[in-house]
Amino acid sequence: KDASDEFIKNNLVALKNSRVLDAGCGTGKVCSIAFDKGASYVKGIDLSPVMIEEAKRNCPGGEFECADLSTVVLEKYHVVICGLVLGHIEDLEAVLKKLIGALNPGGHIILTDFHPNQTLTKAKRTFRNDGKTFEIAHSLHQLDEYFTLLKNSGLQIVSFKEPLCQKHPVIFGIHGVAA
C-alpha cells in the first residue's frame, strides 16, 4: 500500500482547477491528497459502503459514490487514479477502457496494482481487521495486457515502476497521458 501511495503522489501532476476521479477510493486518502495538490473537484467511487462512509469523513470536500466500476457511468476528468483495484476486477479490458474514456484530452491516468509476479508465485491479497486476516479474490492480469490496452487507446506511457521488496516486485505503477 505504501509503494502504491508513493507512486500515485509522485505522479500526480499540477492539479490546479482539475477534476479528479479516484476509482476504488477506499478510505479517501488519495482524494484528500488531490485536494491538497489543488484539485477543484474530486470524486471517489468504491464498491464498499463502509469505505465510502470512511472516505466522506476523511475527505469532506469530495463527492463519493458507492458503485461498481464495471457498471457505473463516468463523467470526464483531467486525472483518473485507480490504485490497487484492477486486480479485483475480472474484465480488465472493459473497466480500463471505461476509465480511459473518462479522460479529457491530455488527461492523466495513474494506475497501481498488485504485481502479476506476486499472483504467479501464489501470494495472496489480504487485509487485517479486528485482529483477523481476510483474503480478497484476485484476477491475474499480465503487464502486457495493461500496456496493450493503454497503447491501443492512444495513451502515451510516461512512467512505469516496479518497486522491489526483498528483490521482487510487489506492485507496479503506470502513468499514462491521453492524446
Side-chain angles (χ1 to χ4, degrees):
K1 178 85 173 112
D2 290 341
S4 172
D5 289 347
E6 183 179 330
F7 182 85
I8 291 168
K9 281 189 243 181
N10 290 342
N11 282 274
L12 279 176
V13 294
L15 296 179
K16 187 173 183 186
N17 299 321
S18 292
R19 292 175 48 84
V20 176
L21 171 66
D22 185 358
C25 66
T27 63
K29 180 178 179 180
V30 171
C31 296
S32 292
I33 292 168
F35 273 127
D36 291 345
K37 290 191 170 258
S40 59
Y41 174 83
V42 178
K43 180 164 188 172
I45 297 174
D46 202 280
L47 187 59
S48 166
V50 173
M51 289 292 119
I52 289 296
E53 290 308 311
E54 185 73 19
K56 287 177 181 177
R57 284 190 291 278
N58 291 334
C59 185
E63 180 181 315
F64 296 95
E65 181 178 355
C66 186
D68 186 330
L69 291 175
S70 307
T71 57
V72 70
V73 176
L74 298 177
E75 300 170 6
K76 292 289 188 178
Y77 298 91
H78 299 102
V79 178
V80 172
I81 301 161
C82 190
L84 302 175
V85 172
L86 292 172
H88 299 300
I89 295 171
E90 254 184 70
D91 190 351
L92 175 67
E93 182 174 1
V95 172
L96 191 50
K97 283 184 175 181
K98 181 181 285 203
L99 296 176
I100 292 166
L103 289 172
N104 286 326
H108 295 253
I109 188 164
I110 301 170
L111 309 171
T112 69
D113 212 340
F114 196 62
H115 199 284
N117 287 350
Q118 293 292 316
T119 305
L120 291 169
T121 59
K122 307 293 186 225
K124 305 292 183 195
R125 288 183 83 152
T126 61
F127 72 94
R128 292 185 56 79
N129 187 21
D130 291 333
K132 296 178 184 172
T133 300
F134 299 89
E135 185 177 331
I136 304 167
H138 182 77
S139 297
L140 174 63
H141 305 303
Q142 295 287 5
L143 291 174
D144 62 341
E145 292 178 68
Y146 287 94
F147 288 118
T148 299
L149 288 166
L150 292 167
K151 289 178 182 176
N152 288 347
S153 296
L155 270 81
Q156 176 188 0
I157 296 174
V158 295
S159 179
F160 171 69
K161 298 275 189 228
E162 296 173 285
L164 301 178
C165 179
Q166 298 176 359
K167 300 182 184 178
H168 299 285
V170 178
I171 65 129
F172 67 89
I174 302 172
H175 176 182
V177 178

